[in-house]
Amino acid sequence: MGVSPFEHSRARVPEELSARVPAEQRGPGLERDAVRLLVSRGTRVSHHDFVELPRQLRAGDLLVVNTSPTLAAAVDGRLGHARVVVHFSTRGDDGRWAVELRDPDGRGTTRARAGGPAGTKVRLPGDVRLVLEEPLAARSERLWWGRVSDPDVPGLLRRHGRPIRYSYTERDQPLSAYQTVFALPSGDGAGSAEMPSAARPFTARLVAELVSRGVQFAPITLHTGVASVEAHEPPYPERYEVSATSARLINAAKAAAGRIIAVGTTAVRAVESAAGPDGVVGARRGWTDLVVTPERGTRVVDGLLTGLHEPEASHLLMLEAVAGRAAIDRGYEAALRGLYLWHEFGDVHLILPDDSPHAVHCSSNPW
């Protein structure tokens, strides 16, 4: 696979395009929906405010939304005399947790550190101990399976945790800033280590407007783990659930020629994991190791609402699977030229099928 113009010309997103604080903190009277919306229909690109989303969709479309709540997944610890920060990522079926150890950088955020070795002991608040046992994956030692002396890790996170924060953000935020309007408490305390951020700009008012226009919603759950910020590794197995009700909603909308639009890459992974070879979605729950690539394609999802990803991010392959490489390159070039904001508090990108009768020859944008 060659290098796209976006990757070639922009090895990294300019630092000034990182969204450092949530939209509602950028000025008086602003709400979460005060972000911009880039819309791609094939290689045609247009620019909007997020509050215009209902006018970009049509009756019969269905939005797949992730209900996973965000955890306060970062906890301070001690490794010998050294300070470390433990990012709790994913709970295994055997009670262990996949964790990432990071070094505090003195600015309230963290930097990568070498993982392991097996037997490493970390002291956590409340006289709790974490012991690293083995790497999560043979190809990377960033994440380790670890056993915690107190099995009530959700309680530990509630008492002593804070949201995971990366260096491009300006300051710590309350956990509420990382919850989406779709987040639901999990009975077992499970959740996402990092916010399913594509849904963050939605407000109750906007959801009501979408419903009033005939747009449907199908909830799924996928508990996302800790991202590979430095190395951009492909996603590892994550827990998910697609209910029988949501499967019926998706199949019925598809049969009625409605467009299935995933809100976030997590929603794509969950729905595609629950789909059979014929594209029919069934009730499924468990672990998914599916990586959606252009070669694999999508069987269910027609469109995607997502944030803006770094040029090296593995998520870009999923975007190309939905829309094709030319469309994604064109959209990202427009986002860079238009000074859109990146990351979880940034602007969003709506990727739709090109339904223009002259799609091959038509472009609404001079970029």
Side-chain angles (χ1 to χ4, degrees), residues 165-286:
R165 176 189 159 207
Y166 293 115
S167 59
Y168 49 76
T169 56
E170 186 174 290
R171 55 182 176 267
D172 285 346
Q173 298 290 340
L175 184 59
S176 59
Y178 291 87
Q179 304 295 5
T180 75
V181 72
F182 304 111
L184 295 173
S186 175
D188 61 0
S192 288
E194 296 180 0
M195 172 176 54
S197 56
R200 191 185 190 279
F202 283 87
T203 62
R205 182 183 63 241
L206 189 67
V207 170
E209 183 179 352
L210 286 162
V211 171
S212 73
R213 288 173 174 260
V215 176
Q216 303 176 78
F217 288 82
I220 57 88
T221 301
L222 185 141
H223 298 312
T224 184
V226 176
S228 174
V229 177
E230 288 84 14
H232 299 288
E233 299 163 3
Y236 54 86
E238 294 168 317
R239 290 172 56 195
Y240 82 107
E241 180 175 3
V242 176
S243 68
T245 299
S246 289
R248 284 194 297 270
L249 285 169
I250 294 167
N251 293 332
K254 196 83 171 173
R259 297 177 296 184
I260 309 302
I261 300 165
V263 178
T265 56
T266 60
V268 176
R269 195 180 201 195
V271 169
E272 293 294 327
S273 296
D278 57 359
V280 175
V281 178
R284 300 281 190 278
R285 65 182 303 175

Side-chain angles (χ1 to χ4, degrees), residues 70-89:
T70 307
L71 301 175
V75 179
D76 291 324
R78 288 274 180 180
L79 181 56
H81 296 292
R83 293 176 57 228
V84 294
V85 178
V86 180
H87 287 176
F88 282 84
S89 184

Side-chain angles (χ1 to χ4, degrees), residues 46-325:
S46 57
H47 304 273
H48 307 270
D49 294 325
F50 185 74
V51 292
E52 298 175 60
L53 176 66
R55 294 193 287 279
Q56 304 303 315
L57 303 178
R58 59 195 185 209
D61 285 345
L62 183 142
L63 295 175
V64 181
V65 296
N66 189 355
T67 64
S68 178
T70 307
L71 301 175
V75 179
D76 291 324
R78 288 274 180 180
L79 181 56
H81 296 292
R83 293 176 57 228
V84 294
V85 178
V86 180
H87 287 176
F88 282 84
S89 184
T90 305
R91 182 169 59 189
D93 293 335
D94 59 1
R96 296 187 301 175
W97 280 76
V99 298
E100 179 183 22
L101 268 57
R102 295 178 67 88
D103 289 322
D105 62 5
R107 299 189 300 272
T109 53
T110 60
R111 56 178 175 264
R113 63 169 289 140
T120 295
K121 297 179 176 65
V122 181
R123 289 175 293 152
L124 300 174
D127 200 30
V128 175
R129 297 291 188 272
L130 165 69
V131 180
L132 303 187
E133 294 187 351
E134 61 180 331
L136 181 68
R139 65 181 181 274
S140 169
E141 293 198 352
R142 178 178 67 92
L143 290 164
W144 282 69
W145 285 116
R147 199 168 294 279
V148 185
S149 60
D150 182 350
D152 183 20
V153 172
L156 172 73
L157 301 184
R158 287 193 299 271
R159 293 188 301 272
H160 301 290
R162 61 186 179 276
I164 289 174
R165 176 189 159 207
Y166 293 115
S167 59
Y168 49 76
T169 56
E170 186 174 290
R171 55 182 176 267
D172 285 346
Q173 298 290 340
L175 184 59
S176 59
Y178 291 87
Q179 304 295 5
T180 75
V181 72
F182 304 111
L184 295 173
S186 175
D188 61 0
S192 288
E194 296 180 0
M195 172 176 54
S197 56
R200 191 185 190 279
F202 283 87
T203 62
R205 182 183 63 241
L206 189 67
V207 170
E209 183 179 352
L210 286 162
V211 171
S212 73
R213 288 173 174 260
V215 176
Q216 303 176 78
F217 288 82
I220 57 88
T221 301
L222 185 141
H223 298 312
T224 184
V226 176
S228 174
V229 177
E230 288 84 14
H232 299 288
E233 299 163 3
Y236 54 86
E238 294 168 317
R239 290 172 56 195
Y240 82 107
E241 180 175 3
V242 176
S243 68
T245 299
S246 289
R248 284 194 297 270
L249 285 169
I250 294 167
N251 293 332
K254 196 83 171 173
R259 297 177 296 184
I260 309 302
I261 300 165
V263 178
T265 56
T266 60
V268 176
R269 195 180 201 195
V271 169
E272 293 294 327
S273 296
D278 57 359
V280 175
V281 178
R284 300 281 190 278
R285 65 182 303 175
W287 293 84
T288 177
D289 60 0
L290 175 66
V291 178
V292 178
T293 63
E295 292 74 25
R296 189 264 187 194
T298 57
R299 298 169 180 172
V300 181
V301 171
D302 302 302
L304 174 61
L305 180 71
T306 183
L308 294 164
H309 304 283
E310 293 277 1
E312 310 95 329
S314 60
H315 290 306
L316 286 179
L317 292 176
M318 181 184 288
L319 272 59
E320 291 177 15
V322 174
R325 185 164 187 162

